[in-house]
Tab-separated table of all heavy atoms in Angstrom:
chain	number	residue	atom	x	y	z
G	27	ALA	N	11.371	-18.823	-2.636
G	27	ALA	CA	10.981	-18.360	-1.305
G	27	ALA	C	9.474	-18.179	-1.205
G	27	ALA	O	8.769	-18.014	-2.216
G	27	ALA	CB	11.673	-17.034	-0.974
G	28	TRP	N	9.008	-18.181	0.036
G	28	TRP	CA	7.673	-17.721	0.403
G	28	TRP	C	7.847	-16.379	1.095
G	28	TRP	O	8.782	-16.182	1.864
G	28	TRP	CB	6.980	-18.711	1.322
G	28	TRP	CG	6.524	-19.947	0.610
G	28	TRP	CD1	7.256	-21.068	0.360
G	28	TRP	CD2	5.231	-20.170	0.044
G	28	TRP	NE1	6.512	-21.982	-0.344
G	28	TRP	CE2	5.254	-21.460	-0.545
G	28	TRP	CE3	4.067	-19.424	-0.027
G	28	TRP	CZ2	4.143	-22.003	-1.182
G	28	TRP	CZ3	2.956	-19.962	-0.663
G	28	TRP	CH2	2.996	-21.241	-1.235
G	29	ILE	N	6.926	-15.466	0.827
G	29	ILE	CA	7.083	-14.081	1.279
G	29	ILE	C	5.768	-13.590	1.883
G	29	ILE	O	4.692	-13.839	1.325
G	29	ILE	CB	7.472	-13.160	0.100
G	29	ILE	CG1	8.710	-13.710	-0.616
G	29	ILE	CG2	7.713	-11.737	0.569
G	29	ILE	CD1	8.811	-13.298	-2.061
G	30	SER	N	5.852	-12.898	2.993
G	30	SER	CA	4.684	-12.207	3.549
G	30	SER	C	4.969	-10.716	3.557
G	30	SER	O	6.068	-10.283	3.901
G	30	SER	CB	4.378	-12.695	4.970
G	30	SER	OG	5.473	-12.448	5.844
G	31	LEU	N	3.992	-9.930	3.144
G	31	LEU	CA	4.111	-8.476	3.131
G	31	LEU	C	3.157	-7.919	4.186
G	31	LEU	O	1.939	-8.116	4.097
G	31	LEU	CB	3.768	-7.942	1.745
G	31	LEU	CG	3.841	-6.426	1.530
G	31	LEU	CD1	5.227	-5.903	1.867
G	31	LEU	CD2	3.461	-6.082	0.097
G	32	MET	N	3.723	-7.221	5.197
G	32	MET	CA	2.931	-6.756	6.328
G	32	MET	C	3.417	-5.379	6.762
G	32	MET	O	4.307	-4.795	6.141
G	32	MET	CB	3.030	-7.753	7.491
G	32	MET	CG	2.599	-9.164	7.145
G	32	MET	SD	2.690	-10.295	8.552
G	32	MET	CE	4.459	-10.394	8.803
G	33	GLU	N	2.866	-4.884	7.868
G	33	GLU	CA	3.315	-3.644	8.477
G	33	GLU	C	3.274	-3.793	9.991
G	33	GLU	O	2.622	-4.687	10.526
G	33	GLU	CB	2.451	-2.458	8.022
G	33	GLU	CG	0.964	-2.639	8.260
G	33	GLU	CD	0.147	-1.491	7.687
G	33	GLU	OE1	0.731	-0.438	7.369
G	33	GLU	OE2	-1.084	-1.639	7.580
G	34	ALA	N	4.013	-2.913	10.688
G	34	ALA	CA	4.107	-2.993	12.144
G	34	ALA	C	4.273	-1.604	12.733
G	34	ALA	O	4.803	-0.698	12.082
G	34	ALA	CB	5.277	-3.895	12.562
G	35	ASP	N	3.843	-1.455	13.994
G	35	ASP	CA	3.972	-0.206	14.753
G	35	ASP	C	3.411	0.975	13.970
G	35	ASP	O	4.139	1.835	13.492
G	35	ASP	CB	5.431	0.045	15.140
G	35	ASP	CG	5.558	1.215	16.128
G	35	ASP	OD1	4.530	1.649	16.670
G	35	ASP	OD2	6.688	1.679	16.342
G	36	LEU	N	2.090	1.063	13.910
G	36	LEU	CA	1.421	2.092	13.114
G	36	LEU	C	1.157	3.383	13.888
G	36	LEU	O	0.587	4.319	13.326
G	36	LEU	CB	0.085	1.560	12.582
G	36	LEU	CG	0.111	0.860	11.210
G	36	LEU	CD1	0.997	-0.363	11.248
G	36	LEU	CD2	-1.294	0.508	10.769
G	37	GLU	N	1.541	3.460	15.118
G	37	GLU	CA	1.184	4.622	15.936
G	37	GLU	C	1.642	5.924	15.268
G	37	GLU	O	2.782	6.062	14.846
G	37	GLU	CB	1.805	4.509	17.321
G	37	GLU	CG	1.286	5.542	18.305
G	37	GLU	CD	1.709	5.253	19.729
G	37	GLU	OE1	2.663	4.462	19.932
G	37	GLU	OE2	1.085	5.806	20.651
G	38	GLY	N	0.705	6.881	15.186
G	38	GLY	CA	1.006	8.172	14.563
G	38	GLY	C	0.917	8.170	13.059
G	38	GLY	O	1.198	9.191	12.412
G	39	ASN	N	0.523	7.055	12.449
G	39	ASN	CA	0.498	6.919	10.994
G	39	ASN	C	-0.859	6.429	10.513
G	39	ASN	O	-1.732	6.067	11.303
G	39	ASN	CB	1.581	5.928	10.555
G	39	ASN	CG	2.985	6.455	10.779
G	39	ASN	OD1	3.489	7.237	9.983
G	39	ASN	ND2	3.619	6.056	11.878
G	40	SER	N	-1.026	6.418	9.219
G	40	SER	CA	-2.160	5.725	8.615
G	40	SER	C	-1.671	4.356	8.152
G	40	SER	O	-0.470	4.095	8.104
G	40	SER	CB	-2.725	6.522	7.441
G	40	SER	OG	-1.809	6.529	6.364
G	41	SER	N	-2.604	3.486	7.819
G	41	SER	CA	-2.210	2.150	7.376
G	41	SER	C	-1.795	2.176	5.908
G	41	SER	O	-2.091	3.115	5.171
G	41	SER	CB	-3.361	1.169	7.562
G	41	SER	OG	-4.403	1.499	6.665
G	42	ALA	N	-1.116	1.118	5.512
G	42	ALA	CA	-0.641	1.006	4.132
G	42	ALA	C	-1.426	-0.057	3.379
G	42	ALA	O	-1.730	-1.127	3.913
G	42	ALA	CB	0.844	0.665	4.110
G	43	TYR	N	-1.754	0.263	2.155
G	43	TYR	CA	-2.256	-0.700	1.181
G	43	TYR	C	-1.188	-0.811	0.089
G	43	TYR	O	-0.231	-0.031	0.061
G	43	TYR	CB	-3.569	-0.228	0.564
G	43	TYR	CG	-4.723	-0.092	1.522
G	43	TYR	CD1	-4.761	0.926	2.465
G	43	TYR	CD2	-5.799	-0.977	1.472
G	43	TYR	CE1	-5.831	1.064	3.342
G	43	TYR	CE2	-6.880	-0.849	2.343
G	43	TYR	CZ	-6.895	0.169	3.280
G	43	TYR	OH	-7.952	0.295	4.136
G	44	VAL	N	-1.357	-1.752	-0.814
G	44	VAL	CA	-0.467	-1.826	-1.974
G	44	VAL	C	-1.298	-1.992	-3.234
G	44	VAL	O	-2.446	-2.463	-3.193
G	44	VAL	CB	0.564	-2.977	-1.866
G	44	VAL	CG1	1.592	-2.678	-0.793
G	44	VAL	CG2	-0.126	-4.314	-1.606
G	45	THR	N	-0.722	-1.602	-4.345
G	45	THR	CA	-1.364	-1.771	-5.640
G	45	THR	C	-0.281	-1.995	-6.686
G	45	THR	O	0.877	-1.619	-6.486
G	45	THR	CB	-2.211	-0.534	-5.995
G	45	THR	OG1	-2.978	-0.797	-7.168
G	45	THR	CG2	-1.334	0.686	-6.218
G	46	ASN	N	-0.639	-2.632	-7.790
G	46	ASN	CA	0.274	-2.773	-8.927
G	46	ASN	C	-0.063	-1.681	-9.925
G	46	ASN	O	-1.094	-1.745	-10.603
G	46	ASN	CB	0.123	-4.153	-9.567
G	46	ASN	CG	1.142	-4.398	-10.671
G	46	ASN	OD1	1.697	-3.460	-11.244
G	46	ASN	ND2	1.390	-5.658	-10.988
G	47	PRO	N	0.788	-0.651	-10.038
G	47	PRO	CA	0.441	0.506	-10.873
G	47	PRO	C	0.865	0.383	-12.330
G	47	PRO	O	0.655	1.318	-13.104
G	47	PRO	CB	1.234	1.628	-10.197
G	47	PRO	CG	2.482	0.952	-9.715
G	47	PRO	CD	2.069	-0.456	-9.330
G	48	THR	N	1.458	-0.736	-12.738
G	48	THR	CA	2.103	-0.804	-14.052
G	48	THR	C	1.113	-0.789	-15.204
G	48	THR	O	1.421	-0.290	-16.289
G	48	THR	CB	2.971	-2.063	-14.158
G	48	THR	OG1	2.136	-3.225	-14.033
G	48	THR	CG2	4.031	-2.083	-13.063
G	49	GLY	N	-0.073	-1.387	-14.995
G	49	GLY	CA	-1.037	-1.485	-16.088
G	49	GLY	C	-0.626	-2.425	-17.190
G	49	GLY	O	-1.200	-2.436	-18.279
G	50	SER	N	0.361	-3.272	-16.903
G	50	SER	CA	0.961	-4.111	-17.956
G	50	SER	C	0.929	-5.578	-17.553
G	50	SER	O	1.059	-5.925	-16.387
G	50	SER	CB	2.414	-3.675	-18.188
G	50	SER	OG	3.134	-4.639	-18.912
G	51	TRP	N	0.785	-6.440	-18.565
G	51	TRP	CA	0.881	-7.871	-18.318
G	51	TRP	C	2.273	-8.257	-17.810
G	51	TRP	O	2.439	-9.279	-17.164
G	51	TRP	CB	0.595	-8.637	-19.610
G	51	TRP	CG	-0.859	-8.861	-19.853
G	51	TRP	CD1	-1.865	-8.813	-18.936
G	51	TRP	CD2	-1.476	-9.181	-21.104
G	51	TRP	NE1	-3.063	-9.077	-19.522
G	51	TRP	CE2	-2.861	-9.309	-20.868
G	51	TRP	CE3	-0.995	-9.363	-22.394
G	51	TRP	CZ2	-3.780	-9.625	-21.874
G	51	TRP	CZ3	-1.904	-9.687	-23.394
G	51	TRP	CH2	-3.275	-9.814	-23.141
G	52	ALA	N	3.258	-7.446	-18.152
G	52	ALA	CA	4.639	-7.765	-17.767
G	52	ALA	C	5.017	-7.174	-16.413
G	52	ALA	O	6.115	-7.422	-15.920
G	52	ALA	CB	5.609	-7.258	-18.832
G	53	GLY	N	4.145	-6.386	-15.816
G	53	GLY	CA	4.501	-5.707	-14.573
G	53	GLY	C	4.229	-6.557	-13.351
G	53	GLY	O	3.104	-7.031	-13.155
G	54	HIS	N	5.246	-6.792	-12.536
G	54	HIS	CA	5.036	-7.568	-11.306
G	54	HIS	C	5.658	-6.852	-10.118
G	54	HIS	O	6.566	-7.352	-9.463
G	54	HIS	CB	5.538	-9.005	-11.435
G	54	HIS	CG	6.831	-9.170	-12.166
G	54	HIS	ND1	8.052	-9.027	-11.560
G	54	HIS	CD2	7.083	-9.484	-13.462
G	54	HIS	CE1	9.004	-9.250	-12.440
G	54	HIS	NE2	8.462	-9.528	-13.608
G	55	MET	N	5.145	-5.660	-9.859
G	55	MET	CA	5.594	-4.878	-8.719
G	55	MET	C	4.386	-4.420	-7.908
G	55	MET	O	3.246	-4.448	-8.380
G	55	MET	CB	6.380	-3.654	-9.176
G	55	MET	CG	5.537	-2.645	-9.924
G	55	MET	SD	6.337	-1.031	-10.156
G	55	MET	CE	6.248	-0.355	-8.526
G	56	LEU	N	4.636	-4.001	-6.677
G	56	LEU	CA	3.611	-3.399	-5.826
G	56	LEU	C	4.142	-2.079	-5.292
G	56	LEU	O	5.344	-1.931	-5.071
G	56	LEU	CB	3.256	-4.329	-4.660
G	56	LEU	CG	2.631	-5.675	-5.027
G	56	LEU	CD1	2.486	-6.550	-3.791
G	56	LEU	CD2	1.274	-5.490	-5.712
G	57	ARG	N	3.247	-1.134	-5.094
G	57	ARG	CA	3.625	0.170	-4.547
G	57	ARG	C	2.703	0.510	-3.384
G	57	ARG	O	1.508	0.232	-3.424
G	57	ARG	CB	3.542	1.249	-5.623
G	57	ARG	CG	3.880	2.659	-5.111
G	57	ARG	CD	3.848	3.672	-6.230
G	57	ARG	NE	4.947	3.455	-7.166
G	57	ARG	CZ	4.945	3.869	-8.435
G	57	ARG	NH1	3.879	4.506	-8.908
G	57	ARG	NH2	5.995	3.647	-9.211
G	58	VAL	N	3.279	1.106	-2.358
G	58	VAL	CA	2.514	1.469	-1.167
G	58	VAL	C	1.571	2.627	-1.477
G	58	VAL	O	1.925	3.579	-2.178
G	58	VAL	CB	3.469	1.865	-0.012
G	58	VAL	CG1	2.701	2.549	1.121
G	58	VAL	CG2	4.193	0.632	0.509
G	59	LYS	N	0.346	2.510	-0.956
G	59	LYS	CA	-0.613	3.612	-0.977
G	59	LYS	C	-1.127	3.781	0.454
G	59	LYS	O	-1.712	2.859	1.012
G	59	LYS	CB	-1.782	3.328	-1.927
G	59	LYS	CG	-1.393	3.328	-3.391
G	59	LYS	CD	-2.572	3.004	-4.283
G	59	LYS	CE	-3.594	4.116	-4.338
G	59	LYS	NZ	-3.121	5.296	-5.069
G	60	LEU	N	-0.884	4.934	1.032
G	60	LEU	CA	-1.303	5.186	2.406
G	60	LEU	C	-2.774	5.580	2.451
G	60	LEU	O	-3.266	6.318	1.593
G	60	LEU	CB	-0.454	6.298	3.022
G	60	LEU	CG	1.045	6.001	3.182
G	60	LEU	CD1	1.747	7.205	3.786
G	60	LEU	CD2	1.282	4.754	4.036
G	61	SER	N	-3.457	5.103	3.476
G	61	SER	CA	-4.863	5.452	3.665
G	61	SER	C	-4.985	6.957	3.917
G	61	SER	O	-4.357	7.488	4.835
G	61	SER	CB	-5.432	4.675	4.857
G	61	SER	OG	-6.803	4.935	5.032
G	62	PRO	N	-5.767	7.673	3.113
G	62	PRO	CA	-5.829	9.139	3.251
G	62	PRO	C	-6.653	9.577	4.463
G	62	PRO	O	-7.541	8.858	4.922
G	62	PRO	CB	-6.502	9.581	1.948
G	62	PRO	CG	-7.325	8.408	1.544
G	62	PRO	CD	-6.581	7.183	1.991
G	63	ARG	N	-6.340	10.767	4.946
G	63	ARG	CA	-7.106	11.338	6.047
G	63	ARG	C	-8.545	11.609	5.597
G	63	ARG	O	-8.799	11.938	4.441
G	63	ARG	CB	-6.470	12.643	6.532
G	63	ARG	CG	-5.132	12.458	7.240
G	63	ARG	CD	-4.592	13.799	7.722
G	63	ARG	NE	-5.522	14.429	8.662
G	63	ARG	CZ	-5.511	14.230	9.976
G	63	ARG	NH1	-4.602	13.429	10.510
G	63	ARG	NH2	-6.387	14.829	10.770
G	64	TRP	N	-9.485	11.498	6.538
G	64	TRP	CA	-10.881	11.764	6.205
G	64	TRP	C	-11.142	13.264	6.062
G	64	TRP	O	-11.953	13.679	5.246
G	64	TRP	CB	-11.801	11.178	7.286
G	64	TRP	CG	-11.962	9.697	7.174
G	64	TRP	CD1	-11.130	8.825	6.550
G	64	TRP	CD2	-13.042	8.925	7.691
G	64	TRP	NE1	-11.608	7.534	6.653
G	64	TRP	CE2	-12.788	7.574	7.355
G	64	TRP	CE3	-14.189	9.221	8.411
G	64	TRP	CZ2	-13.642	6.539	7.719
G	64	TRP	CZ3	-15.041	8.189	8.779
G	64	TRP	CH2	-14.775	6.860	8.433
G	65	ASP	N	-10.455	14.078	6.870
G	65	ASP	CA	-10.726	15.515	6.838
G	65	ASP	C	-10.074	16.201	5.641
G	65	ASP	O	-10.556	17.233	5.163
G	65	ASP	CB	-10.283	16.184	8.143
G	65	ASP	CG	-8.815	15.920	8.464
G	65	ASP	OD1	-8.153	15.160	7.722
G	65	ASP	OD2	-8.335	16.459	9.478
G	66	ASP	N	-8.984	15.631	5.123
G	66	ASP	CA	-8.302	16.187	3.952
G	66	ASP	C	-7.621	15.046	3.206
G	66	ASP	O	-6.455	14.723	3.459
G	66	ASP	CB	-7.280	17.242	4.368
G	66	ASP	CG	-6.645	17.936	3.153
G	66	ASP	OD1	-6.926	17.520	2.009
G	66	ASP	OD2	-5.867	18.882	3.359
G	67	PRO	N	-8.324	14.401	2.272
G	67	PRO	CA	-7.793	13.213	1.588
G	67	PRO	C	-6.535	13.459	0.766
G	67	PRO	O	-5.923	12.494	0.286
G	67	PRO	CB	-8.958	12.780	0.683
G	67	PRO	CG	-10.174	13.382	1.294
G	67	PRO	CD	-9.711	14.679	1.879
G	68	SER	N	-6.134	14.710	0.568
G	68	SER	CA	-4.904	14.960	-0.181
G	68	SER	C	-3.668	14.642	0.645
G	68	SER	O	-2.554	14.595	0.109
G	68	SER	CB	-4.855	16.416	-0.653
G	68	SER	OG	-4.896	17.309	0.444
């Protein structure tokens, strides 16, 4: 297959990024990371 990874209808939310957190040559996954708020990045 061919695959596209996207997002839709962001109203009221922050945008999503992805990263591969495995740190391994064998890891082939992605995990969502939401864009943090500017006033309180936590």
Side-chain angles (χ1 to χ4, degrees):
W28 287 86
I29 306 154
S30 61
L31 180 57
M32 303 181 292
E33 55 185 345
D35 189 13
L36 270 61
E37 190 169 17
N39 292 280
S40 69
S41 68
Y43 297 71
V44 290
T45 188
N46 185 338
T48 62
S50 165
W51 275 340
H54 40 84
M55 66 167 287
L56 297 173
R57 178 177 291 157
V58 167
K59 291 178 71 70
L60 296 179
S61 183
R63 291 182 60 89
W64 283 22
D65 55 356
D66 185 354
S68 60

